[in-house]
Amino acid sequence: MPEDSPVLAHVDGQAGHLVLNRPRAINALTHEMVTIIRRMLEEWAADPAVQTVVLTGSGDRGLCAGGDIVSIYHDGIAGGTASAAFWADEYRLDAEIAEYPKPFVAVMDGIVLGGGIGLSAHASFRVVTERSKVGMPETGIGFFPDVGGTYLLSRAPGELGTHLALTAGLVGAGDAIAVGLADWYVPSDRLPDLLTALASQDAAAAVASVADPVPESALVGDREWIDLAYEGDDLVKIYSRLADSDVPAAREAAAVLLTKSPTSLKVTLRALRAAADLPSLPAALEQEYRLSVRFHGSHDFIEGVRAQVIDKDRTPRWSPATFDGVSDEAVTAYFAGLGDD
């Protein structure tokens, strides 16, 4: 595999290594990268010499900052179909990682957002460090937590997942483990030791040999007000409970919600509640695919990416601009079937 490939693959002892290799873009995920990863996973699944698969990111900024949102933005403006094809294969990859027949170790060091969650949080061993910044920031760009995000966050303790999904919050190692996005804490200076151990040891033994106790979770300490505020499926009531709370952090969350796309917030809330009742990750990914196709090219998605990524003025003009302006019928339309697609 050439050195400039966006994904590097090599075998070290009994471990097959996949290295995301776009460090200048914090390894943002492209369709080509998805194709390479799927091909290598299929090859290694049939190779008895490869006992464990290890996912890391090149550079020192993070594993993966999400999908290549700039390409998706331009495709949306043009009314193209490349993004729909990308999401279809990306979501298939996420499901394949969750069901992979061999141990899959995802090293979630540094920034892990959006599509990076899809590559790592469905793995059998999910390792975070003191440098980890994990989250689903999609409501801030007029989108929703995809790549199985609705499935994972809907199964977090209490309403912690709802809080993170709606506010698009980033969390560190302790909180990521508490909400179910990771399960092992390894200090970053021990990651070389982890990779060395994986070359010759069983994955479980290798990870355990370098892991430290899980750091305390601040979110767990906030469960009381979070669970109370985010109960139910009415976004307006959730906002009111946050805004009227005696807890400063709750009022801060209310202010954050006012900066997000009202359409994204309402669709995300309904998607989370629906995903909680779905039987499997693939079922949730099917729902998410319908939502992704509908969001692509929508006003709020195009405007959100423009404001946050393209022009970087950080002042998106959402339409509708208020929670009440987003009708139940408009939300329901996002979930409708896609026919032959």
Side-chain angles (χ1 to χ4, degrees):
M1 190 168 289
E3 292 184 359
D4 61 351
S5 173
V7 179
L8 303 176
H10 68 276
V11 176
D12 179 17
Q14 65 180 26
H17 288 259
L18 294 168
V19 184
L20 307 183
N21 190 37
R22 298 184 67 213
R24 294 181 63 183
I26 319 181
N27 303 313
L29 192 63
T30 66
H31 203 163
E32 180 185 9
M33 294 166 74
V34 168
T35 300
I36 294 171
I37 295 170
R38 293 186 73 197
R39 183 178 73 242
M40 294 310 304
L41 289 181
E42 182 180 8
E43 178 180 321
W44 286 341
D47 186 347
V50 175
Q51 296 295 307
T52 301
V53 171
V54 185
L55 177 72
T56 58
S58 61
D60 57 5
R61 299 172 67 190
L63 173 66
C64 178
D68 186 359
I69 203 70
V70 174
S71 295
I72 296 173
Y73 166 84
H74 288 298
D75 187 48
I77 289 178
T81 60
S83 298
F86 163 67
W87 282 318
D89 283 341
E90 181 188 23
Y91 297 173
R92 291 185 182 107
L93 171 59
D94 298 335
E96 289 162 3
I97 290 172
E99 299 169 358
Y100 200 64
K102 297 180 179 182
F104 190 113
V105 180
V107 180
M108 303 169 70
D109 187 35
I111 293 172
V112 188
L113 305 176
I117 296 287
L119 295 179
S120 59
H122 304 300
S124 44
F125 294 88
R126 306 167 300 173
V127 175
V128 284
T129 76
E130 80 282 357
R131 301 187 300 202
S132 295
K133 295 180 180 179
V134 181
M136 302 293 292
E138 285 79 8
T139 59
I141 58 167
F143 203 59
F144 75 103
D146 65 332
V147 296
T150 62
Y151 183 82
L152 293 165
L153 294 175
S154 68
R155 285 156 174 78
E159 297 294 345
L160 296 183
T162 309
H163 172 62
L164 289 182
L166 297 184
T167 62
L170 303 185
V171 297
D175 287 334
I177 291 172
V179 301
L181 297 177
D183 39 32
W184 292 90
Y185 175 71
V186 176
S188 59
D189 61 2
R190 294 187 202 160
L191 292 179
D193 297 332
L194 171 61
L195 300 184
T196 297
L198 287 167
S200 60
Q201 296 181 32
D202 170 79
V207 175
S209 71
V210 295
D212 265 2
V214 175
E216 184 177 353
S217 166
L219 278 179
V220 169
D222 289 337
R223 272 282 305 270
E224 184 175 356
W225 70 261
I226 288 175
D227 288 356
L228 176 63
Y230 288 94
E231 181 184 12
D233 56 7
D234 188 320
L235 180 66
V236 174
K237 290 182 179 178
I238 288 173
Y239 171 77
S240 296
R241 288 194 291 264
L242 290 168
D244 295 340
S245 174
D246 294 331
V247 180
R251 296 195 299 273
E252 291 171 7
V256 168
L257 291 187
L258 292 179
T259 70
K260 309 306 179 186
S261 159
T263 299
S264 292
L265 291 175
K266 284 201 167 184
V267 172
T268 294
L269 182 59
R270 186 178 296 188
L272 288 171
R273 300 308 187 231
D277 294 327
L278 292 174
S280 65
L281 173 62
L285 289 167
E286 288 183 6
Q287 172 176 270
E288 291 177 3
Y289 181 72
R290 295 196 297 273
L291 299 179
S292 295
V293 170
R294 295 263 158 57
F295 270 107
H296 189 231
S298 69
H299 172 276
D300 275 14
F301 175 70
I302 297 299
E303 174 63 9
V305 177
R306 180 207 64 76
Q308 301 295 344
V309 181
I310 305 299
D311 296 336
K312 299 182 180 180
D313 57 38
R314 313 293 192 233
T315 55
R317 294 178 289 273
W318 307 122
S319 181
T322 65
F323 302 150
D324 288 335
V326 183
S327 68
D328 290 343
E329 292 75 17
V331 173
T332 298
Y334 277 82
F335 292 81
L338 295 170
D340 292 341
D341 293 329

